[in-house]
Amino acid sequence: MNSSIAFVADIDSEEANSWLGHFARLMPETPVVPFDALADLEAVEVAIVANPRPADLLKLPNLKWIQSLWAGVEGILKEPSLDHIPLVRMTDPNLAETMAEAVLAWTLYLHRDMPAYAQQQKEAIWKQMPFTRASSRTVGILGLGKLGLAAATVLKAAGFNAVGWSRSLKTIDGVQTFAGRDGLTEMLDQTDILVCLLPHTLETRNLLDAEAFTTLKKGGSLINFGRGAIVDHEALIDALDSGHMNHAVLDVFRQEPLPAKNALWQHPHITVLPHISAPTDPVSASQLVVMNMRHYQNDGSMPVTVNRQTGY
Ligand code: NAP
């Protein structure tokens, strides 16, 4: 390929420079050029992107494909003007490992009643809750893709009864799996801790609504590490306030950063995290991106691209 690679990113300059530094070190022979510094827009065939402005990408007339630095690409998919450009999202195996660790950490937080003990300490209350074995706790995972599968494996190894739901039915050793609407109801009905690792698509938007929370086992909890728009937050607050649900750990929101006046911050049964469950590791992610660039340079091959019909 005798062309340039553009870096189209609307992120802070320190972070952008750090990514550019990784690319320059790993791929000194092929410069990755920030959009604003591109001398020849027509020469660009590949764009590496992080929160790109669609208008910038549309100024690259010979763009063949887009490599996202993030795993979630709904921001790009919602731009119809970019529909014709193949899109590759970040699928770093390290990310799945990091996410599985976060899922285990916050599942244990809920499993061992840490929110309630933290509250009791504030009030100097000495009260022991009944102990439940991990094997008696069903953790339902929504999404059995790269992240969901890694989470299921770690949860199972920790002794939980891990079950999972996806669009197409999966076979996973030691994990009961479900698919379809009826499958979702069946899974929610037996789930103590629900872990959302779904992408945000037209189908998953508001999937976790009042009906879903009512179906969840009484005393159930939610961990949302997928995307904010999958959860109807008003319905979640109702389910927590009514006592049907126990607690929610939320890492992703419709608007990020979560505005200071948002009620979720103050809710006694909600733990708010600032989108930290699985940060992209720039070292391994840049190696993966460079590998993709090299394959393309060598033989014109592109990694697996996002399916625009399903939205992930
Ligand atoms: P993936 O490999 O594409 O897997 C997506 C899974 O969701 C698949 O199992 C898929 O089912 C299932 N799914 C999609 N639409 C569905 C629907 N309508 N009904 C039922 N199941 C559905 O994605 P991934 O790499 O695991 O990542 C998942 C999401 O995690 C990303 O899209 C991103 O939003 C989020 N994420 C969050 C963070 C964070 O820091 N919080 C970090 C990275 C990623 P099939 O298997 O049948 O296709």
Side-chain angles (χ1 to χ4, degrees):
M1 182 180 70
N2 215 357
S3 61
S4 6
I5 300 174
F7 185 60
V8 187
D10 192 7
I11 54 178
D12 81 55
S13 57
E14 198 180 321
E15 192 182 3
N17 286 334
S18 160
W19 281 107
L20 290 167
H22 285 296
F23 298 137
R25 205 184 56 258
L26 294 168
M27 199 171 46
E29 72 288 358
T30 313
V32 177
V33 185
F35 180 80
D36 290 337
L38 285 168
D40 182 2
L41 299 179
E42 293 194 357
V44 174
E45 285 189 19
V46 188
I48 299 173
V49 307
N51 309 344
R53 283 183 292 265
D56 290 349
L57 292 169
L58 290 169
K59 285 181 190 141
L60 305 171
N62 295 315
L63 190 59
K64 300 281 190 290
W65 59 287
I66 298 170
Q67 166 75 62
S68 170
L69 293 180
W70 312 149
V73 287
E74 66 281 351
I76 301 174
L77 290 174
K78 74 172 189 236
E79 292 296 337
S81 57
L82 299 174
D83 269 1
H84 60 290
I85 312 172
L87 171 63
V88 175
R89 65 188 196 94
M90 178 55 62
T91 52
D92 183 350
N94 284 339
L95 192 79
E97 201 179 286
T98 307
M99 181 58 96
E101 180 187 83
V103 168
L104 179 61
W106 293 99
T107 297
L108 288 169
Y109 168 82
L110 296 169
H111 168 57
R112 297 303 299 260
D113 301 310
M114 290 194 219
Y117 286 122
Q119 187 53 40
Q120 285 189 190
Q121 183 173 350
K122 278 189 197 144
E123 298 166 40
I125 295 174
W126 181 278
K127 182 181 156 208
Q128 294 159 352
M129 318 251 178
F131 170 74
T132 303
R133 294 182 65 82
S135 55
S136 303
R137 201 77 89 173
T138 296
V139 184
I141 305 161
L142 297 170
L144 293 170
K146 308 223 168 25
L147 305 185
L149 186 58
T153 306
V154 165
L155 289 169
K156 199 168 58 110
F160 290 99
N161 177 34
V163 300
W165 181 75
S166 51
R167 229 157 63 92
S168 53
L169 193 63
K170 302 273 180 292
T171 306
I172 307 171
D173 192 29
V175 176
Q176 191 184 2
T177 54
F178 303 85
R181 273 279 160 183
D182 290 349
L184 178 62
T185 304
E186 212 182 319
M187 187 179 91
L188 291 175
D189 199 39
Q190 57 174 276
T191 292
D192 296 296
I193 298 174
L194 183 65
V195 179
C196 176
L197 290 172
L198 288 166
H200 172 200
T201 67
L202 286 175
E203 281 185 30
T204 64
R205 190 174 179 79
N206 287 324
L207 180 81
L208 297 180
D209 58 5
E211 191 188 337
F213 294 134
T214 307
T215 313
L216 192 66
K217 215 166 134 181
K218 172 135 179 59
S221 293
L222 168 71
I223 298 175
N224 185 16
F225 288 168
R227 281 295 180 258
I230 298 165
V231 175
D232 175 343
H233 288 121
E234 274 181 31
L236 173 65
I237 289 176
D238 287 348
L240 291 165
D241 287 348
S242 73
H244 180 70
M245 280 182 70
N246 189 28
H247 199 86
V249 176
L250 306 176
D251 185 48
V252 283
F253 303 90
R254 281 161 202 259
Q255 188 185 346
E256 294 182 11
L258 183 65
K261 60 178 189 318
N262 192 298
L264 296 172
W265 280 111
Q266 306 305 336
H267 197 285
H269 300 302
I270 292 178
T271 299
V272 170
L273 302 172
H275 202 140
I276 44 79
S277 51
T280 302
D281 172 6
V283 174
S284 58
S286 52
Q287 285 166 351
L288 206 124
V289 168
V290 165
M291 191 182 75
N292 290 346
M293 297 301 134
R294 291 231 163 93
H295 283 310
Y296 183 65
Q297 285 174 325
N298 290 342
D299 58 16
S301 63
M302 219 179 270
V304 174
T305 57
V306 172
N307 179 334
R308 301 249 177 204
Q309 300 306 316
T310 57
Y312 65 99

